[in-house]
Structure formats: structure tokens, C-alpha cells
Amino acid sequence: MSTARPIHFGDPVRRLRGIGPRQEEELAERGVRTLGDLLEHLPFRYEDRRRPLPLSDARPGEVLTAIGEIVSTHSAGARRRRLNILTVVIDDGTSEMRVLFFNRPYLAEYFEQGARVLVHGAVRLTRHGLEMHAPEFEILRPGGGLSGVTGWIPVYEKVGPLKARRVRQAIAVILDGLEEIDDPLDAEMLSRLGLPSRLDAFRQVHRPGSSVDESDLRSRCTAGHRRLAFDEFFLLEAGLALRRARRMREKRCEGYRLDEDLRRRLAAVLPFKLTAAQQRVLGEIGEDLKAAWPMSRLLMGDVGSGKTIVALLAMLVARENGFQAALMAPTEVLARQHAAGLQALLQGHSMTVDLLSAGIPMRQQKQVRARIEDGLAQLIVGTHSLISEKVKFKKLGMVVIDEQHRFGVVQRADLVSKGAHPDVLVMSATPIPRTLAMVLYGDLDVSILDEKPPGRRPIRTVVRRADQREQVFRGLRQAIDEGRQIYVVRPAVEDGAKSGLRAAQQAPAEFRAAFPDKELRIGIVHGKMKAEERQERLESFKAGNEQILVATTVIEVGIDIASASVILVEDAERFGLAQLHQLRGRVGRGDLKSYCVLIASEGADPEALERLRVLEETDDGFRVAEKDLCLRGAGEVAGTAQSGMPSFRVADLVRHKELLLIARNEAFRHIDSEGRTSFSEALRREILRKYGTQLRLAETG
Ligand code: ADP
Ligand code: MG
């Protein structure tokens, strides 16, 4: 680094000494072009070198920071081939210690006799006495102080061609040279929220002083970390606000009529009294439909919370206003189930529901497409077939997407683009914590159905260890005797020697062998089966032809067989909590008290079992999801993988949850009811730089 000129955040990395065109290129490939980009690489941990101790205080098994003089170095190949051992003996006046490095003979030239060196690492007792193996080390400059080598030392991942140690040096140089950096965030807001300036934040996270609170530092919750986490959240939410504002300016061609007369007629369709949650959500949807811009709403509700009727009513409003409404489901089975369910609800109201999917005969598909094109079909249910180019809507005004996480972003957008700014309602039975929803679908309005229709009998869930299998089978025998229908879920389809997972295909033989006296009829469904075959087998189980249905997670969504009242999940720890919760939702749909038995595999560790117990404690999908988020992190929570979830450098949805809520409020204050925004130009540029790409990815319509 040439120290003559002051350096700036936006300077190219090539300003650093030792970074030539080639490294510059490699860094650019990793998105590191400027000094600022490098500063955004934060330490992933901190080494506690606050208290250097005399060598005489070394205790085996403890981590020690010590400073000594090099007495001798010795490099030798060991008897075992290809191992070089460099032995450095240091002495600090209180004692001597051997420090060993393996296969790094080139280090010898650094360790000159008489030089002072700081070492940090675990002390071990060997037959040669106390030793340190491969410790962290710093050669100290003669007469130099200890700043930068003792205290909290940041530890980095390597960045492209730069080794971790080099990253540390480079960042130190940058921090020494920086005088000021632009802060895209509003100073008034920062001081109101008690957050430090951007430069101070970088200083704190890269060079925490010795006075920093240790637990804050370890949990990345120092003021500096919080400020940088806030930046990520705020820029994201601001980006989402921009997207929302854009949509608010896309005026719908016509507003919807939603008067008393229409309400009365819709109410007549209902076979039951809506729950308070359903009423509340319908109110929210109603407000959307009266507004001049199209609705974009996510409806989250646990399995069985009654989302379908809510969707149907929204679809009917569109229909009554002369628009077509389409519901897209991720599987053939679900589409058929929805079509049949909606048709049943509309019994006696002279309205038909059209079904379009790859599973119905070609000729019929053609007819349905024709009906869609000339507007005869008004309520349409289908699968991906709906987004085929062959499908042209006359006047599509309402798009409902069920189990939205099963669809790619593009597929959703494709259906939406078949109308002129239609209203969009996406539904999810995979409840995700509100914080996560905000990040994933932050520009959608969120409605939550958090109440189940009355009369449900709770499902009793039990977790069992592998060695309790016999007990589980006694329970199964009783269930069979009572004439119950049982799902058995296994993680794999076929026996894979390496997976070690229980395979669905083995199950029928195993269960027949376990109950030789019962002459069990056992069906099986799995993902490697054709859709029609799967459908047939489900129908057969539904008709009561089999006592047991063995399945993989294909039954996770939507399967509605009221007579099944027991679900046994094997190797249960292999599934996510949210997924198990979904599976559990397959039972408890009829009048019988239902059971969910989760049996862990032989190899399951106690922690995994503990995790499963969450399901024993609660049947609230949101609480399960919240737990899943805490235990496994956002990336793992069901359904988030493909949804274009942004990756954060500092921000953490669990740790910094309250910051996300604040960031959202602050960001959305910048849009008004007409869709006008008031972000500064600098902020807009920053939003695009950071989240431009990802936000397009996360686009829902
Ligand atoms: P999900 O939210 O899982 O899609 P559904 O919409 O399929 O749930 O509803 C589950 C069951 O509950 C259906 O059989 C439905 O007819 C019934 N249901 C929905 N709302 C009510 C209600 N308010 N009162 C009684 N039963 C209801
Ligand atoms: Mg549903």
C-alpha cells in the first residue's frame, strides 16, 4: 500500500501492495473489486489473545498465548515418509517450550534465532515435555508493540487467492488508511436507532477492543455487528419496498365490486361457519380487492386450517366481477383434490370448475383449453399445465397458487403473466416464521390462518428410540385390530447400501413378517412411480382396500384421506421438523383420535431425539417452524432453498430478529399510499448493488 495518498472505500483492490492483475481478476470473480468489498468480509470468529502468559504457566490441555525468544530451530523428515517436522524452541525467561510445525519447512526462514515470536495454541504433554503443535504465530518486529497481535484477533476465511492471514493483513492496512466512508443510511435514523457509523462498525468488527463484551462478540451482537446486520436487512427491505411500490403503480384495469349483495351470495355458498381467522383473512383480501392495484398476498396456514375455502371465495369475487380465476397446484393429486373439493362446495350453485392437467385425456385437455380461451371456463384448477403456451385466458383476473414453495419463481411469474396484472394469492401450508417470511416474501402482504376449524381432535405425537421398536409394533397391532388405516413413511424408496436408510420398498415384506397372523393388505406410493399409478393407489387406500400405505415424503402435501388415523415415520430424525409436521397433518382429518409415531434410527444421536420432542410438545406449525429455524438455520427450513433466499454476511434471522422488524418498518416508511418512494439516489444505488440480482430471483409476480 502506498501510504502517501489517503485510501478510499471504493478504491480498487489493486491499490494493496502485492495484488497484481491476476489476483485482482480472481478476486473480482468472487465479487471483491474494491477495498470496501474486502472490508465486508468479516471475521468468522475471534481468537482470545487478551492475556499472554509466562511459559511457566503452561498447562497441558489449555490454550495459551505466550511470547518468547527463539532459541533454536530444527527441520527434519520423520521416519514416516513425507512428513517434515519443524521444531522451534522458544524461551521467555520463565521456561522453554518446543513448538512444532508439520510439513511447512519453508517456515524455517521466518524463525530466526533471537527473534521474538508470539504463539497461540493448545498445550500438550508429550514424552518430550510440554509442546505446542501447529499454533497460530506472529513474528514480532524488534521494538514493535503488541497491538494487532494480542487482544481479540479476528480470524477470516480465505478470500479467493488471499489466504486467511493475508486477508487479516490487508484489512488492517485498509483500516489504518481509511479516513472516512460514505454512509448510505440516514444519519438521523442511525442515531435514533443507536447504531454506530459504518466506519466505526467496520472498526469494531475487525478490531474489537479489549473492552468489548465477550458474549456479544461471540454471538456477533456488538454494536458494530448489529449495524452491519442492519445494513443488510435494511437494504433488502428497501429493495422489497421498491418492488412493492412499483407494483402499486401498476393500476388494475378495473376495480372489483364487493358490495353487500355479493357478500350475501358468497355467504350462501358456505357449508359451514367461517372461523374467526378465516373471516379476518377474508377481510384482508377484501381490502386488497377493492384497492386500485393488484393484490399480492401470501396466505400461510397450517395443514387443515381451511385455506381452500378462503381461496375459493376470492376466486368467486373475481368471477362475479367478470374475470377468470385460476388455481395452480403442484401435483396432479392435489389439483384433482382441489377441483373435486371446489365442485362439491359449489353444489347446487350452477357453477362449474374446470380441471386442466397432464393426467386427463388429450381430447379433454383440448376442450378445456378452448373453454379457457373463449371465457366459458371461469373457475379453473390445474397443474403446471396451466402455464403451457397453449393455454390462453380470455380475461384472467385472479391467480391462486397452492403450496407455493413447490413452484419455481418463473412458473409463478408465467401464470401471472397470462393476465393483465391479475390479483395473486399464494398459499402455503408450510408455516414459516414471520421473520423468514419477511425476507423471502417481503413485498407480499402476509395473512395468517392461525386457528383450526372447530371439532378437530388433536393428534397425539410420540417419539421413540430405535430400541423401542417392539413397543411401537405392539401399538401397531392394536391399531390394526381396531381396523385403523395406517401410513408408514420411510426416507428412501429403494435399498441404497450407502444411505443406510430404511427403504419404502422393503416395508411391505417386513410388516407382513411382523404380523404373520394378520394377512395385511399393504399399498405403496413413492416418487419414482408414475403420477397415474400413484393416484390409483391413493384412491385404493382411500376406498379402504388396504390397511397400511407405505410412502415416501410424496404424501407430505395435500393428501386428504380422512379414514387414516395413524402415521408412523421411520428414521424420523432424517426429516426436518417442519416436514414431519406436514407429514403428521395427513392424519387427524376424520372423527377418530389420531396418532403420530416418530421412531428414530439406530444411529440417531440424543440431540436429534431431543429435537424431535418439539413435535410432542406442540401441534402449532408456526412454533415448529420457529424451532426449526433456531435449530437448523434459515437455509434448511423447508421450502426456502429454491426461493431465492438472500444470503447474508452478518445478519442472522434468529440472532438479529428484532433488527429485521425495525429495518422493515424503516424501509417501508419510504413508500406512500400511491406507490411513490423517497429513497435517496445513493441508497437506491446501494440497494441495486447489493440485492438487485437476488430480488429479481425472489420475484413472485
Ligand atoms: P388446508 O388449509 O390444509 O388447505 P382445507 O382448506 O383443505 O385446509 O380445509 C381442511 C378441512 O376443513 C376441509 O375438509 C374443509 O372443508 C374444512 N373446513 C374448512 N374451514 C372450515 C370451517 N370454518 N368449519 C368447518 N370445517 C372447515
Ligand atoms: Mg390445502
Side-chain angles (χ1 to χ4, degrees):
M1 171 71 54
S2 52
T3 41
R5 284 180 297 140
I7 61 173
H8 301 286
F9 201 68
D11 287 350
V13 280
R14 116 176 70 83
R15 281 212 65 187
L16 291 168
R17 184 184 294 153
I19 294 196
R22 205 175 134 180
Q23 289 203 321
E24 185 173 31
E25 209 172 287
E26 285 178 57
L27 283 169
E29 275 165 26
R30 281 162 184 81
V32 179
R33 292 183 177 79
T34 63
L35 301 182
D37 292 338
L38 201 52
L39 270 192
E40 288 183 354
H41 282 265
L42 302 194
F44 71 94
R45 68 180 178 88
Y46 297 90
E47 214 164 80
D48 184 359
R49 293 194 208 157
R50 283 174 299 173
R51 278 177 290 275
L53 290 176
L55 285 171
S56 56
D57 280 8
R59 300 282 173 272
E62 282 180 13
V63 172
L64 173 76
T65 310
I67 296 166
E69 196 168 291
I70 296 176
V71 180
S72 67
T73 64
H74 174 71
S75 175
R79 238 173 278 137
R80 270 179 291 147
R81 278 189 308 136
R82 279 184 300 197
L83 182 64
N84 170 279
I85 300 179
L86 175 67
T87 309
V88 181
V89 180
I90 63 172
D91 188 332
D92 71 349
T94 68
S95 181
E96 266 191 3
M97 167 123 60
R98 283 156 51 88
V99 179
L100 272 50
F101 296 92
F102 305 100
N103 282 343
R104 296 168 79 189
Y106 51 87
L107 287 180
E109 68 180 275
Y110 294 99
F111 295 119
E112 281 171 32
Q113 211 170 325
R116 275 201 328 142
V117 63
L118 174 145
V119 290
H120 173 90
V123 176
R124 43 175 87 206
L125 183 60
T126 72
R127 62 198 164 92
H128 303 291
L130 293 181
E131 288 184 345
M132 254 190 210
H133 292 182
E136 295 287 319
F137 69 91
E138 316 275 349
I139 313 277
L140 305 180
R141 271 177 289 128
L146 292 179
S147 93
V149 293
T150 56
W152 286 111
I153 300 299
V155 183
Y156 299 87
E157 311 266 11
K158 74 192 263 285
V159 180
L162 304 185
K163 296 233 171 71
R165 184 179 274 262
R166 185 83 176 80
V167 174
R168 182 190 296 164
Q169 286 163 352
I171 285 175
V173 169
I174 298 170
L175 284 178
D176 285 341
L178 271 181
E179 277 165 8
E180 227 171 280
I181 57 180
D182 287 339
D183 202 324
L185 265 50
D186 191 54
E188 179 277 324
M189 173 176 74
L190 290 173
S191 80
R192 184 156 43 79
L193 301 176
L195 292 170
S197 78
R198 197 138 177 249
L199 183 54
D200 282 343
F202 279 124
R203 287 191 178 125
Q204 284 178 25
V205 299
H206 288 295
R207 290 181 168 164
S210 295
S211 60
V212 70
D213 182 87
E214 180 167 354
S215 75
D216 279 354
L217 187 63
R218 294 209 189 277
S219 63
R220 265 156 272 164
C221 284
T222 66
H225 283 100
R226 287 166 45 82
R227 161 67 212 258
L228 297 178
F230 183 79
D231 280 11
E232 290 185 300
F233 284 150
F234 181 78
L235 289 175
L236 174 68
E237 291 299 327
L240 292 168
L242 281 179
R243 228 168 66 167
R244 156 94 84 122
R246 189 177 66 200
R247 227 183 21 238
M248 286 169 77
R249 295 192 302 266
E250 289 170 349
K251 294 241 190 277
R252 208 202 328 254
C253 24
E254 293 158 61
Y256 282 151
R257 185 178 58 86
L258 194 58
D259 54 25
E260 263 317 301
D261 176 45
L262 178 55
R263 280 180 209 276
R264 255 197 305 281
R265 284 196 293 142
L266 292 180
V269 173
L270 295 174
F272 36 60
K273 192 170 169 307
L274 294 176
T275 64
Q278 284 170 324
Q279 284 175 24
R280 189 189 64 233
V281 168
L282 277 168
E284 290 162 1
I285 292 174
E287 286 306 309
D288 287 355
L289 297 185
K290 280 190 283 182
W293 56 85
M295 165 169 79
S296 269
R297 189 167 283 279
L298 168 66
L299 171 56
M300 280 199 288
D302 223 334
V303 211
S305 58
K307 294 183 289 297
T308 315
I309 189 84
V310 172
L312 175 65
L313 288 172
M315 290 168 79
L316 287 176
V317 173
R319 180 189 181 274
E320 292 288 315
N321 281 275
F323 287 91
Q324 290 170 300
L327 186 158
M328 183 161 71
T331 65
E332 181 89 28
V333 173
L334 263 181
R336 280 170 193 261
Q337 213 164 269
H338 272 309
L342 295 191
Q343 194 64 72
L345 282 169
L346 295 172
Q347 210 74 62
H349 292 275
S350 65
M351 282 183 264
T352 50
V353 174
D354 285 79
L355 173 68
L356 184 67
S357 70
I360 62 178
M362 282 296 183
R363 225 171 42 102
Q364 205 177 324
Q365 286 184 40
K366 219 165 151 189
Q367 281 168 0
V368 174
R369 282 200 300 269
R371 284 171 56 79
I372 294 175
E373 185 155 5
D374 60 25
L376 278 176
Q378 293 165 318
L379 301 170
I380 302 130
V381 173
T383 56
H384 301 78
S385 296
L386 286 175
I387 56 181
S388 143
E389 268 173 31
K390 286 187 247 166
V391 181
K392 297 195 175 57
F393 286 85
K394 179 132 196 269
K395 199 178 177 193
L396 178 63
M398 167 82 60
V399 167
V400 179
I401 293 174
D402 195 20
E403 298 301 338
Q404 55 76 34
H405 70 278
R406 293 271 167 141
F407 289 100
V409 175
V410 179
Q411 293 166 321
R412 293 197 295 254
D414 280 354
L415 183 54
V416 169
S417 69
K418 287 183 184 282
H421 305 313
D423 292 291
V424 180
L425 180 67
V426 299
M427 303 200 290
S428 172
T430 311
I432 57 174
R434 201 175 256 282
T435 41
L436 200 52
M438 251 178 221
V439 173
L440 285 173
Y441 318 108
D443 61 337
L444 301 186
D445 295 299
V446 178
S447 287
I448 293 180
L449 280 181
D450 50 6
E451 181 188 352
K452 295 220 172 135
R456 291 293 154 79
R457 309 192 58 176
I459 302 164
R460 183 166 145 73
T461 300
V462 293
V463 176
R464 295 285 178 251
R465 292 186 312 270
D467 61 17
Q468 292 173 307
R469 217 176 160 72
E470 235 169 82
Q471 182 190 341
V472 169
F473 273 66
R474 274 200 301 279
L476 279 184
R477 171 173 291 274
Q478 191 185 338
I480 294 166
D481 287 341
E482 289 170 10
R484 287 169 180 267
Q485 280 187 293
I486 302 164
Y487 292 107
V488 172
V489 179
R490 294 189 160 192
V493 179
E494 296 161 1
D495 229 354
K498 61 173 185 286
S499 73
L501 300 174
R502 277 174 206 279
Q505 284 183 335
Q506 261 66 47
E510 287 173 34
F511 280 87
R512 279 196 201 97
F515 303 103
D517 53 320
K518 294 285 175 207
E519 291 181 18
L520 287 178
R521 278 159 292 131
I522 302 179
I524 180 168
V525 289
H526 56 70
K528 291 194 177 165
M529 207 174 251
K530 284 228 180 69
E532 300 116 64
E533 193 180 355
R534 211 151 65 203
Q535 180 70 27
E536 275 168 28
R537 298 201 181 181
L538 285 168
E539 295 293 348
S540 173
F541 184 62
K542 189 169 187 163
N545 295 331
E546 289 86 21
Q547 292 122 310
I548 295 180
L549 183 68
V550 175
T552 55
T553 50
V554 290
I555 63 157
E556 187 184 326
V557 280
I559 306 300
D560 191 8
I561 300 178
S563 55
S565 61
V566 177
I567 183 164
L568 169 68
V569 184
E570 301 192 78
D571 294 346
E573 83 282 359
R574 300 295 186 121
F575 301 91
L577 289 184
Q579 199 175 20
L580 289 169
H581 179 69
Q582 287 295 310
L583 287 168
R584 167 167 73 176
R586 296 313 108 211
V587 297
R589 298 178 161 245
D591 307 326
L592 280 177
K593 176 161 173 54
S594 292
Y595 297 88
C596 168
V597 183
L598 306 173
I599 178 161
S601 63
E602 276 86 17
D605 59 48
E607 254 172 53
L609 263 136
E610 237 6 81
R611 185 169 63 89
L612 292 178
R613 304 230 179 259
V614 171
L615 292 163
E616 282 183 340
E617 286 154 24
T618 181
D619 69 347
D620 175 341
F622 287 95
R623 289 203 26 222
V624 172
E626 198 72 61
K627 272 278 198 265
D628 222 14
L629 179 64
C630 287
L631 293 170
R632 301 200 305 158
E636 299 290 323
V637 174
T640 60
Q642 338 91 300
S643 15
M645 186 70 175
S647 54
F648 298 117
R649 285 229 167 95
V650 200
D652 180 294
L653 292 172
V654 177
R655 220 172 261 162
H656 303 122
K657 182 169 154 179
E658 101 292 352
L659 281 176
L660 176 60
L661 302 179
I662 297 171
R664 180 177 177 86
N665 284 337
E666 293 291 339
F668 276 73
R669 279 159 62 149
H670 287 269
I671 59 175
D672 70 9
S673 59
E674 300 287 308
R676 284 180 301 238
T677 63
S678 59
F679 294 111
S680 70
E681 257 326 295
L683 195 54
R684 262 171 207 280
R685 268 200 308 276
E686 193 67 8
I687 296 166
L688 287 180
R689 184 177 77 85
K690 275 206 116 145
Y691 291 117
T693 327
Q694 280 154 329
L695 285 186
R696 267 198 303 283
L697 268 179
E699 199 134 30
T700 315

